Amino acid sequence: MPFSPKTYTFLCGCFAALGSILFGYDLGIIASILPNTDFLRVTGHPNANYLGFIVSAFLLGAFVGCIPAAILADRYGRRLAILVGSIVFLLGGTLQTAAQNKGMMLAGRFFAGFSVGMLSQLAPLYQSEIAHPSIRGRLTTLQQFFLGIGAFIASFVGYGCFKNYPDGPAGWRLPLALQMAPAIPLAAMIFLFPESPRWLCKVGRDNDAINALARLHANGNINNIFVQSEIYELKLSVDEEARLTKNAWRQIFTIPQNLRRLFLGFVLQASAQFTGVSVIQYSDGYSKRGVEDSTSVFATIGIDASKTLLLQSINSILALIGQAACVAFVDRLGRRKPLIVANIVSGMTFVAATGIQATYANSKHKISAGWAFVMMTWIFNFAFSSGIGPLSWAYPVEILNTGIRAKGTALTSMGAWLFNFFIGQISPIALQNIQWKYYIVFAVGGFTNALTIYLFFPETKGRTLEEMDAYFARTYWIVPLAEVETIDHRAREQDFAQGIVPLTKEKIIGGHGSQNDEKLDIVHNEKVDVSSV
């Protein structure tokens, strides 16, 4: 028995999100391998700064990988770009696992990061372009959910290896080898899944586009009314974009509405870092330089590395629950409300954490205060994972049109890696020099993020990708001043099912009169009788 169209599309989105497991796994595993005695021997007992560079090489690679991913995705298709990203990760994973010196490890880290930079933007890009409007949020937030799965797996793998092989090569080579597992099926099987119908339409492969849409949304029936309405709207949108200019870079930087949306995507990615997520990762035990630091919260309350890794596993479980909640409810709640509420909660946790550290850090109640701080990080992590993290990747891909989506998403993703690197580099220095006062930045950041989203970010729930140009043209920069209706997340699908094109409100199927009694067959560019559908 075949899957329903939405179930099949959701499973396609899950498969594309395998690449996100690679990112989450690396976030969770790196802290557990850096203290390993054999790892330090192989890499020549590097100092703390060089260990930090080994970690940061991954972020540098991710930053560099964004633009090549966009170029490949636009020229050769979303699937081939995902294949290339997977192969590059296998190269990086192999170099890390087999590293004989610090140079080889650095190269492996860079290539692994390069791949993750590609796949972290390609997954939501592909997911957004295959999704029904009513489940697009569910598909694009799978990116963060699968990242959480990767971090969850890594936390237990890291704990087990650190516990059983603290000094041997298996303690770091085994977890690094295991990170390649998701990349193998992703590379081997991606071409078994449909190509993005929007990319196919963009490059003029209309027959393939409607076949892909039919496979995704109608169990292969190309004459389905829903599919015919979708492809009609898609063609209208792509033709209009081509009429303006075929140069995506020119479209991005010369059309004010495109520049506005690029700005919103970049700001959203940057704002996610100014919630303090990177400093929380730093504070959760061993620093990114791989040594137990005096600024580590767990270190201050007397918890050793082994128990720290176990407590981080609990944190991973909380994150996974939050990410699952986002996937389940984002299409009903929309994008604005979860982002606003999650940022307010993150700001409140940093207010509490700042107060705890300022009042009790050097008192006889330091241990109790440390545990209270750890609890705040757990609440923060749940809030971040249930709104900020998932939507910082999902929102940019759905506000950009097909002509600029890949390249625009590359630029917004570069913002994520840039600010991740920036916060990660300054956090150890700031925590060492000004200690708890550094948390004030992120206490303020959570609240200013919420205000920024309330003022400037339009709600995109339920709307088709093709209507985003017209929709943003109708909304003011100050969103609350715009009189734009909020639609049900299923409204556009109900239009498609009746042969109504949301972009133009034109009913191309059904109705009365000779023109409306026929429908446009996009594939053959001729009219066919509706009664045959």
Side-chain angles (χ1 to χ4, degrees):
M1 181 178 180
F3 294 114
S4 70
K6 284 188 179 179
T7 301
Y8 176 71
T9 303
F10 182 78
L11 292 174
C12 290
C14 288
F15 185 80
L18 284 177
S20 302
I21 294 180
L22 308 176
F23 180 21
Y25 187 91
D26 182 87
L27 286 175
I29 206 65
I30 190 65
S32 68
I33 69 170
L34 292 179
N36 181 279
T37 304
D38 188 69
F39 174 83
L40 294 173
R41 179 191 61 79
V42 170
T43 53
H45 296 282
N47 59 30
N49 287 329
Y50 200 92
L51 280 173
F53 187 57
I54 288 175
V55 175
S56 300
F58 184 89
L59 299 176
L60 176 63
F63 180 84
V64 174
C66 292
I67 296 298
I71 294 172
L72 282 172
D74 273 345
R75 183 167 298 180
Y76 301 109
R78 300 353 184 184
R79 294 181 303 175
L80 189 134
I82 291 173
L83 171 64
V84 172
S86 303
I87 293 172
V88 172
F89 190 87
L90 292 173
L91 170 63
T94 300
L95 287 172
Q96 290 180 81
T97 304
Q100 300 300 311
N101 51 59
K102 59 186 178 184
M104 196 171 173
M105 175 57 66
L106 268 181
R109 295 287 297 164
F110 177 84
F111 282 116
F114 188 96
S115 166
V116 166
M118 294 181 68
L119 294 173
S120 62
Q121 75 182 62
L122 290 170
L125 174 68
Y126 176 78
Q127 291 159 343
S128 70
E129 293 185 339
I130 67 172
H132 299 71
S134 70
I135 62 168
R136 188 175 61 244
R138 192 180 305 169
L139 260 69
T140 51
T141 54
L142 285 172
Q143 154 93 345
Q144 192 79 11
F145 179 65
F146 276 72
L147 184 154
I149 292 174
F152 174 75
I153 295 170
S155 64
F156 283 97
V157 170
Y159 174 73
C161 289
F162 187 88
K163 189 78 173 175
N164 294 289
Y165 312 107
D167 301 320
W172 65 277
R173 293 191 190 274
L174 177 59
L176 288 178
L178 290 175
Q179 72 179 326
M180 293 185 281
I184 296 172
L186 188 59
M189 300 173 64
I190 185 61
F191 276 90
L192 299 177
F193 293 82
E195 179 57 88
S196 161
R198 287 171 170 85
W199 177 78
L200 291 168
C201 201
K202 176 187 172 186
V203 297
R205 293 169 56 182
D206 294 344
N207 282 282
D208 292 333
I210 197 168
N211 283 325
L213 263 180
R215 185 177 169 189
L216 288 161
H217 295 175
N219 293 128
N221 181 8
I222 65 171
N223 292 317
N224 182 276
I225 294 174
F226 189 99
V227 170
Q228 287 286 331
S229 302
E230 280 189 294
I231 197 71
Y232 184 81
E233 181 180 63
L234 179 53
K235 279 291 294 178
L236 287 175
S237 177
V238 168
D239 290 346
E240 175 62 17
E241 292 163 18
R243 185 186 67 79
L244 294 172
T245 175
K246 291 186 177 181
N247 188 311
W249 297 115
R250 188 176 300 168
Q251 278 195 48
I252 291 173
F253 293 108
T254 61
I255 299 176
Q257 284 298 340
N258 288 344
L259 199 56
R260 172 194 175 191
R261 285 178 280 176
L262 178 70
F263 175 74
L264 291 178
F266 190 90
V267 166
L268 186 60
Q269 288 282 22
S271 73
Q273 294 303 316
F274 279 95
T275 60
V277 63
S278 293
V279 76
I280 288 294
Q281 289 169 353
Y282 175 82
S283 298
D284 267 358
Y286 276 68
S287 76
K288 290 184 178 182
R289 286 170 171 77
V291 293
E292 192 169 13
D293 195 280
S294 60
T295 58
S296 162
V297 174
F298 287 147
T300 65
I301 58 178
I303 295 179
D304 62 20
S306 177
K307 289 182 180 178
T308 293
L309 294 172
L310 181 59
L311 289 172
Q312 286 175 331
S313 300
I314 297 173
N315 210 8
S316 297
I317 294 172
L318 293 173
L320 206 54
I321 294 171
Q323 290 151 3
C326 184
V327 172
F329 298 112
V330 66
D331 285 307
R332 295 180 182 275
L333 297 175
R335 286 42 162 171
R336 280 168 56 86
K337 288 180 182 177
L339 279 169
I340 292 170
V341 172
N343 273 287
I344 291 173
V345 173
S346 77
M348 291 172 64
T349 60
F350 265 96
V351 168
T354 303
I356 290 167
Q357 289 286 296
T359 307
Y360 299 107
N362 297 312
S363 74
K364 63 181 180 179
H365 303 293
K366 181 171 70 172
I367 293 178
S368 298
W371 278 110
F373 184 93
V374 170
M375 293 297 295
M376 288 299 103
T377 68
W378 287 352
I379 295 171
F380 167 88
N381 198 31
F382 180 83
F384 182 89
S385 300
S386 61
I388 302 166
L391 289 169
S392 66
W393 295 98
Y395 191 84
V397 296
E398 65 180 4
I399 63 175
L400 301 168
N401 65 45
T402 300
I404 65 171
R405 188 171 297 118
K407 293 182 173 64
T409 302
L411 294 174
T412 61
S413 299
M414 289 173 75
W417 301 116
L418 178 66
F419 283 96
N420 192 322
F421 178 83
F422 172 72
I423 298 295
Q425 289 302 301
I426 67 171
S427 291
I429 300 170
L431 288 169
Q432 185 173 10
N433 287 280
I434 60 175
Q435 299 176 349
W436 61 266
K437 298 180 183 69
Y438 183 51
Y439 299 135
I440 296 174
V441 173
F442 307 106
V444 174
F447 294 110
T448 55
N449 286 351
L451 180 61
T452 300
I453 291 160
Y454 172 75
L455 291 175
F456 301 114
F457 284 71
E459 180 57 71
T460 56
K461 177 185 72 173
R463 299 186 182 276
T464 67
L465 296 177
E466 284 63 50
E467 66 177 305
M468 289 300 174
D469 283 351
Y471 174 59
F472 271 81
R474 296 198 309 272
T475 60
Y476 304 134
W477 272 84
I478 307 298
V479 172
L481 298 179
E483 296 181 1
V484 179
E485 64 172 339
T486 300
I487 65 170
D488 184 81
H489 66 291
R490 296 162 297 187
R492 294 305 184 238
E493 292 176 15
Q494 293 168 355
D495 288 342
F496 283 142
Q498 299 174 55
I500 298 172
V501 178
L503 185 62
T504 62
K505 303 302 182 184
E506 176 186 4
K507 189 168 185 178
I508 62 168
I509 301 172
H512 301 285
S514 59
Q515 191 170 13
N516 284 335
D517 285 340
E518 301 171 322
K519 71 182 173 83
L520 184 65
D521 186 332
I522 299 296
V523 178
H524 303 295
N525 199 27
E526 62 185 20
K527 297 199 174 179
V528 297
D529 190 356
V530 174
S531 62
S532 66
V533 178

